[in-house]
Amino acid sequence: MDLSNRVQSIPSSVTLQVTARIRELKAEGKDVIGFGAGEPNFTTPDVICQAAIASLEAGVTGYQAVPGTIPAREAIAEKLRVENNIECQASDIVISAGGKHAIYLVCQALLDPGRGQEVVLPTPAWVGYRPSIELSGGTVVEVPGSTDRDFKITPQQLDEAITDKTTMVIFNTPSNPCGTAYTPEEIRALAEVLAAHPEPMILSDEIYEKLLYGGFEHLSFGSIPEIADRVITINGLSKSFAMTGWRIGYTCAPGPVGGARGGLAKAMTRLQSQMNTCITSFTYAAIEAAMRDADADVATMCEAFAERAQVIYDQISRWPEVRCPKPTGAFYAFPDISAYFGRVSPGGKKIESAVDFASALLEETLVAVVPGEDFGEIARGHVRLSFATTVEQIIEGCQRVEKWLTKISSHSAVGSA
Ligand code: PLP
């Protein structure tokens, strides 16, 4: 029996190689410092846990409405109206098993194989978009953001990337893996370009919206009237509320896609009804608690991330021959380490790529970072460090890297003299 072409087309992730090795080293009892985690190192705020426990104890254990309970969808719609200025109602919201499934449902609802549909994706970009697009039959058009501009694309680049084949444009601010965010002015300038191209849908992934530092403000594409009816806002509870394992994400699709108001939300609901029906019954109460009662907890976590963002930036700034934009959002730093390509590590490994760099670093210093290859062509010279770890670990890990890089740097200088 052959596996389907579809499943065979999914490439295995290069980061998995590194992740597997980290597991082995940890199992051997080695003191690995991990900068790989894409999840907060906090537990879920108690107020949210208690709401789920109360719901479970109250016997909410059966199937629920496919797009989510009305109270949970109302709580999300209210949050989006009040915090994000997105005009929407509960009927525009679909709750799914994580932002990842929400994005997959959007792609499945809008893309078909064989229609030549393109999706414009500013890169470096989160690794989850490409598989969802390609499994749905679309083609990714990467628009590279340069390190000098904090990885952000320009309105002109966006304008040039959109063609009559463009079905959707994706934005993710604050960004995984970049750790940077567009300012409201920059978002308005991109929206102006989008307004001039009335066909493509706009998927705005705002899953890190609450994790912003240094005075940055978040502006939702869905709040800009000229484009609002084409904006699909994706968000979820994984990152801001430290709830990665709960699997809760949501989509807000208020525009007149497909004719009737809420057409996309209904299409996604139909798909979801045949995939996993709904999310876990007693977590809907937790969504209401997160939307209404967890602001103080989120602020505390955000403060901790802001401090770590500064610490990791200060540490990376000491690394020789490495450039890294200052992290202003999410919990990632994404330094350019390409100056080390073509050189040899202190342990004798030739470094030709970010994967080589990450593997040699892990073997020789026990520091784990994620190589950039999976995040787009432009990201091949980068590695990602998640600062969802303690300040002590950040300092210790970064100092190990600094010593290791210094050895390569000075060795190469001698070798080339
Ligand atoms: N969007 C971005 C940018 C992410 O980084 C992630 C997770 O890493 C997701 C969406 C999906 O998150 P989840 O499925 O946990 O809600």
Side-chain angles (χ1 to χ4, degrees), residues 256-272:
V257 189
R261 181 178 167 81
L264 179 61
K266 285 196 184 115
M268 292 172 66
T269 302
R270 279 208 301 283
L271 270 172
Q272 181 154 286

Side-chain angles (χ1 to χ4, degrees), residues 66-102:
V66 173
T69 62
I70 293 287
R73 292 158 79 204
E74 263 166 5
I76 291 170
E78 181 186 276
K79 173 254 184 275
L80 290 171
R81 286 193 302 266
V82 173
E83 287 183 11
N84 303 82
N85 289 315
I86 297 175
E87 283 208 23
C88 63
Q89 308 162 14
S91 57
D92 303 319
I93 309 297
V94 180
I95 302 173
S96 303
K100 190 180 245 178
H101 196 229

Side-chain angles (χ1 to χ4, degrees), residues 98-100 103 126 129 172 176 205 207-208 238-239 247-248:
K100 190 180 245 178
I103 292 164
W126 175 54
Y129 301 123
N172 168 222
N176 173 11
D205 179 347
I207 201 152
Y208 293 98
S238 291
K239 314 292 181 174
R247 309 312 302 130
I248 302 172

Side-chain angles (χ1 to χ4, degrees), residues 224-292:
I224 300 173
E226 291 77 10
I227 56 168
D229 64 349
R230 291 184 286 139
V231 176
I232 305 158
T233 305
I234 300 283
N235 207 325
L237 278 56
S238 291
K239 314 292 181 174
S240 303
F241 298 94
M243 292 175 72
T244 47
W246 293 65
R247 309 312 302 130
I248 302 172
Y250 59 85
T251 306
C252 172
V257 189
R261 181 178 167 81
L264 179 61
K266 285 196 184 115
M268 292 172 66
T269 302
R270 279 208 301 283
L271 270 172
Q272 181 154 286
S273 75
Q274 300 298 357
M275 289 183 170
N276 55 349
T277 308
C278 59
I279 63 166
T280 305
S281 54
F282 48 86
T283 61
Y284 291 106
I287 297 175
E288 290 174 59
M291 294 299 118
R292 298 191 172 128

Side-chain angles (χ1 to χ4, degrees), residues 365-385:
T365 70
L366 296 177
V367 172
V369 300
V370 179
E373 280 87 343
D374 281 348
F375 301 101
E377 269 309 305
I378 188 75
R380 289 183 165 275
H382 292 253
V383 291
R384 191 190 74 178
L385 286 86

